[in-house]
């Protein structure tokens, strides 16, 4: 680019050739050539919560029920609490 004024720049006449020369050798790889992964793996694992975790989880559920009964919950908070 060539500066014409304080805020104006224009492309030089030989810009495409200069860019092509600088970027050579250009190498392109396909994703299939680089990644050797199975298409998709879904694994579900059931894990028991510790007593402290279970207590905290139950407390959050109780608080959510109370807030929903009051009707004073915002959409953002509801989504976070339901998770």
């Amino acid at each position: 680019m060539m500066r014409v004024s304080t805020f104006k720049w224009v492309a030089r006449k030989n810009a495409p050739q200069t860019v092509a020369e600088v970027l050579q050798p250009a190498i392109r790889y396909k994703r299939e050539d680089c990644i050797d992964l199975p298409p998709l793996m879904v694994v579900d694992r059931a894990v028991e919560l510790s007593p402290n975790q279970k207590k905290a989880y139950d407390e959050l559920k109780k608080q959510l029920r109370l807030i929903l009964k009051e009707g004073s919950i915002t959409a953002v908070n509801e989504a976070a609490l339901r998770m």
Side-chain angles (χ1 to χ4, degrees):
M1 299 296 285
M2 189 170 46
R3 189 177 205 169
V4 176
S5 66
T6 307
F7 300 107
K8 186 173 181 181
W9 293 75
V10 293
R12 294 177 185 250
K13 292 180 182 178
N14 62 346
Q17 294 83 14
T18 304
V19 170
E21 290 173 10
V22 170
L23 294 178
Q24 291 303 318
I27 301 172
R28 178 180 161 95
Y29 295 102
K30 293 181 184 174
R31 181 181 294 175
E32 302 85 43
D33 297 338
C34 301
I35 300 176
D36 186 25
L37 297 173
L40 174 64
M41 288 183 62
V42 177
V43 179
D44 292 330
R45 295 196 174 138
V47 179
E48 289 292 324
L49 296 175
S50 71
N52 289 340
Q53 291 170 328
K54 180 129 177 76
K55 182 179 175 184
Y57 185 74
D58 290 339
E59 184 63 31
L60 281 174
K61 285 197 312 190
K62 187 188 300 182
Q63 287 177 6
L64 175 62
R65 284 190 198 117
L66 291 172
I67 293 171
L68 287 174
K69 284 182 184 178
E70 292 174 2
S72 63
I73 190 168
T74 64
V76 174
N77 293 336
E78 183 175 0
L81 288 172
R82 285 184 183 267
M83 290 183 76

